[in-house]
Amino acid sequence: MSLLIDHDGAVTIVTIDRPAKRNAVDPATADALRDAFTAFATDETARVAILTGSAGHFCAGFDLGAVGERRYDPDGPGPMGPTRMLIEKPVIAAVEGHAVAGGLELALWCDMRVVAESAVFGVYCRRWGVPLIDGGTVRLPRIVGQGRALDMILTGRPVPADEALRIGLADRVVGDGNALPAAIELAKQIAAFPQLCMNSDRLSAYRQWDFDIEGALGYEAHAGVAPLREGVAAGAKRFTEGAGRGGSFATKTE
C-alpha cells in the first residue's frame, strides 16, 4: 500500500506513504489518491480532508522511475492523482519537508497549506525538463500572483517556509513535526461550521474564475439561495440568543 487513510471524527487524513521515494507518486499511487478523494467527496460523514506525506516529507513529485509505465492522456486525469478534480468539500495540505514539482502541484490543489518551518517548495522539475501538467501553471499564479509564480516557474529555485508564508503560498507555519496536528486542529474548526453555507461560498470562490465579473457575481448570488433558505434563520436565532458574541468562533454548529 502506498497510501494510508485515517479518520478523526469528521476529518479524513490521506497520507502518501512511499518514504523510500520521498513520497513521489507513481501511477498506482495516483490512482489510489483519486479513489481516496472520490470516496471522501461522497462520504456524508466526512467534512474536511487532510493530505500529507509520511516520514517527514510531503511529496517529491512524480516518480521519474515510473515514467513510461502509463501513456500520458492530456484529456484524462492528472498524473499526480486528484489534481484535475474540483470536489465540493475542503482539503488542507499538511506539509513537512519537500513539496516540490508534482508535490507542489498537489499542495496547490488543496484549499489551504499548513507548513512546517523547515519545509521547502519548488518547481524542481525545471532541471529535468519535465513540465507542470497537474495545475501548477494555473493555480500557482492564482495563489501567489503572476510575477512571483513566474519567479518560481522559471528558476525552479527552492522557496522556504517563511517566504512561502510571505507570498501567500503557505497559510500557516508551525514548528517541525507539527504540520499534521495543526492541520487536524484547523480541519476540526472548519468542520464545526454550518457546511452548506461554507461549501457554497468555497465553491463560488473557485467558480468565479470561470466568468467575467458580472457572471461571477451572478453565480455567487444564485449559489447563495439554498444556504439562505436552509441556514440563515437558525444562525440568526443562535446569534440573538448570545452564541458567538464578542467574536467567538468556539460554538459548535451543525
Side-chain angles (χ1 to χ4, degrees), residues 196-197 200-201 204 218-232:
L196 178 63
C197 176
S200 176
D201 287 349
S204 181
Y219 180 93
E220 179 192 61
H222 285 86
V225 171
L228 282 171
R229 287 176 176 169
E230 298 189 25
V232 169

Side-chain angles (χ1 to χ4, degrees), residues 26-111:
D26 64 355
T29 306
D31 291 343
L33 282 167
R34 278 192 299 274
D35 290 345
F37 283 104
T38 298
F40 162 70
T42 57
D43 183 351
E44 295 183 358
T45 68
R47 292 188 167 188
V48 184
I50 294 170
L51 175 61
T52 192
S54 67
H57 285 286
F58 183 74
C59 176
F62 188 79
D63 183 354
L64 295 182
V67 170
E69 288 186 9
R70 184 177 298 175
R71 184 174 181 178
Y72 172 59
D73 179 2
D75 297 315
M80 292 296 297
T83 51
R84 293 177 189 165
M85 299 169 62
L86 177 57
I87 58 179
E88 297 186 356
K89 294 185 282 189
V91 181
I92 300 169
V95 180
E96 301 271 356
H98 284 76
V100 297
L104 169 65
E105 292 179 294
L106 279 176
L108 294 170
W109 174 73
C110 299
D111 298 279

Side-chain angles (χ1 to χ4, degrees), residues 163-187:
E163 181 182 355
L165 181 65
R166 179 172 57 81
I167 67 176
L169 180 54
D171 298 287
R172 310 278 193 281
V173 173
V174 298
D176 289 346
N178 290 310
L180 181 56
I184 292 172
E185 181 181 357
L186 177 60

